[in-house]
């Protein structure tokens, strides 16, 4: 359906908007007078008020607009309105789909069959409208189901997911403090490895803690050394104990420092800074 086409007539010479307001802006210039040769086609202002997706959609619209019972359709009135819509489409010079014309023929057939007198001998004759009612009911069910699906929340239409990147973590991880427990755990690992080199040959070797302290300080002169690298496994348990005592004496005298990158990481020994040594002395 559409409104009646309208056309604008050229205004008299010199006619324009009240107060000098321009009618339009053409190429940046205000247009205050209607051109004398202005022509608007008759179809330029046609507005389509209703659009339908097929003949069943049109029939369902006509039935619901008048609150008619779909099981008792007044075929004559519905056919008249349906044909009026088709005539309106023809006036607008629209190409009619074959489905609309087929439905018009079907309505005409139903109307003619209802006008024919029924035979009294045939009592169980089917209603000519039964097939049309069945198709309308099925179409209404599918259309309602499609409408219910369309009403469901849809991503990027009704629901917009929010995304947020977490801020970058710039905090520095503090180094763990090396205590006596960690040092004893490291010693136990060294002792377990030293037991692998034990033998039954008895040989007395003089071992000096003071001498071993000098050897440790000499090894630390090149830089930090892993705690386990200070021990000579071939010396057995006695050599490990003497080296451990030497490390404890150096720690007590603040001549060496312990460092660990993270929990359960290898322990490193390094020579104490001179400023710290001078302060302790």
């Amino acid at each position: 359906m559409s409104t009646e086409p309208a056309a604008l007539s050229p205004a008299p010479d010199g006619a324009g908007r009240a107060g000098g307001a321009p009618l339009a802006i053409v190429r940046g210039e205000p247009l205050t007078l209607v051109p004398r040769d202005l022509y608007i086609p008759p179809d330029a202002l046609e507005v389509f008020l209703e659009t339908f997706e097929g003949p069943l959609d049109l029939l369902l619209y006509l039935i619901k607009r008048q609150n008619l019972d779909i099981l008792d359709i007044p075929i004559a009135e519905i056919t008249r309105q349906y044909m009026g819509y088709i005539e309106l489409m023809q006036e607008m010079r629209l190409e009619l789909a074959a489905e609309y014309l087929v439905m018009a023929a079907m309505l005409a057939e139903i109307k003619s069959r209802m006008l024919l007198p029924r035979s009294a001998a045939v009592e169980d004759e089917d209603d000519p409208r039964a097939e049309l009612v069945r198709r309308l009911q099925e179409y209404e069910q599918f259309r309602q189901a499609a409408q219910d699906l369309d009403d469901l929340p849809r991503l990027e239409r009704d629901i917009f997911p929010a995304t947020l990147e977490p801020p970058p973590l710039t905090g520095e991880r503090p180094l763990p403090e090396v205590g006596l427990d960690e040092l004893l755990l490291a010693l136990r690992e060294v002792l377990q490895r030293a037991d692998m080199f034990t033998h039954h040959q008895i040989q007395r070797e003089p071992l000096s803690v003071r001498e071993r302290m000098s050897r440790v300080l000499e090894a630390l002169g090149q830089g930090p050394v892993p705690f386990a690298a200070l021990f000579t496994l071939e010396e057995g348990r006695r050599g490990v104990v003497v080296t451990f005592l030497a490390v404890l004496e150096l720690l007590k005298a603040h001549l060496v420092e312990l460092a660990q990158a993270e929990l359960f990481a290898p322990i490193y020994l390094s020579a104490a800074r001179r400023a710290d040594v001078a302060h302790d002395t």
Side-chain angles (χ1 to χ4, degrees):
M1 291 180 288
S2 65
T3 59
E4 293 295 333
L8 297 179
S9 302
D13 295 344
R17 291 281 183 93
L23 298 173
I25 303 296
V26 181
R27 295 182 179 179
E29 298 294 333
L31 182 65
T32 57
L33 300 177
V34 179
R36 299 184 60 182
D37 57 349
L38 178 64
Y39 171 73
I40 299 179
D43 301 337
L45 300 182
E46 289 184 353
V47 179
F48 297 96
L49 300 180
E50 298 290 347
T51 56
F52 305 100
E53 298 180 357
L56 290 177
D57 195 22
L58 171 58
L59 282 178
L60 199 59
Y61 166 78
L62 296 176
I63 292 172
K64 289 193 172 184
R65 188 181 64 174
Q66 304 176 73
N67 294 325
L68 300 177
D69 186 3
I70 195 172
L71 299 176
D72 188 17
I73 303 174
I75 292 296
E77 181 61 23
I78 290 297
T79 304
R80 185 186 62 80
Q81 295 182 16
Y82 186 89
M83 296 305 298
Y85 180 81
I86 291 182
E87 292 175 359
L88 180 61
M89 295 176 66
Q90 290 175 343
E91 292 177 1
M92 293 186 296
R93 294 179 299 279
L94 297 178
E95 295 182 0
L96 291 178
E99 297 177 352
Y100 287 91
L101 299 178
V102 171
M103 180 59 67
M106 181 178 179
L107 290 174
E109 179 187 1
I110 295 174
K111 181 179 178 182
S112 62
R113 290 176 58 187
M114 294 185 66
L115 292 176
L116 292 175
R118 295 190 178 185
S119 175
V122 183
E123 297 180 358
D124 298 334
E125 185 178 358
D126 295 336
D127 190 343
R129 301 170 297 178
E131 179 63 21
L132 178 61
V133 169
R134 184 189 63 80
R135 292 176 59 183
L136 284 173
Q137 288 178 333
E138 290 181 354
Y139 176 77
E140 185 178 15
Q141 292 177 358
F142 282 106
R143 193 180 70 165
Q144 185 62 39
Q147 182 64 37
D148 294 341
L149 290 177
D150 187 67
D151 292 341
L152 293 176
R154 187 179 302 174
L155 190 63
E156 303 296 344
R157 187 193 69 176
D158 307 306
I159 302 175
F160 300 92
T163 57
L164 181 63
E165 293 292 335
L169 300 178
T170 57
E172 296 182 359
R173 182 175 56 182
L175 298 178
E177 297 182 0
V178 181
L180 183 60
D181 294 339
E182 288 79 6
L183 198 61
L184 292 176
L185 288 175
L187 174 64
R188 186 177 65 177
E189 294 180 0
V190 175
L191 290 175
Q192 291 176 352
R193 295 173 58 191
D195 289 340
M196 300 174 60
F197 294 88
T198 57
H199 49 82
H200 298 283
Q201 181 179 0
I202 301 175
Q203 182 178 359
R204 188 177 184 85
E205 295 181 2
L207 297 175
S208 171
V209 175
R210 183 68 59 181
E211 179 186 358
R212 191 57 54 92
M213 290 172 60
S214 301
R215 290 174 55 183
V216 170
L217 288 177
E218 182 179 354
L220 297 180
Q222 305 297 329
V225 177
F227 176 75
L230 297 174
F231 298 88
T232 303
L233 302 181
E234 288 77 4
E235 293 180 351
R237 183 178 292 270
R238 293 180 58 194
V240 171
V241 172
V242 171
T243 304
F244 183 69
L245 292 177
V247 171
L248 292 180
E249 289 293 336
L250 292 173
L251 289 173
K252 181 180 178 180
H254 299 285
L255 296 177
V256 297
E257 294 179 347
L258 297 176
Q260 190 178 29
E262 58 184 4
L263 290 175
F264 308 108
I267 300 175
Y268 283 81
L269 268 74
S270 60
R273 289 173 293 181
R274 295 184 179 180
D276 296 340
V277 175
H279 177 70
D280 295 334
T281 55

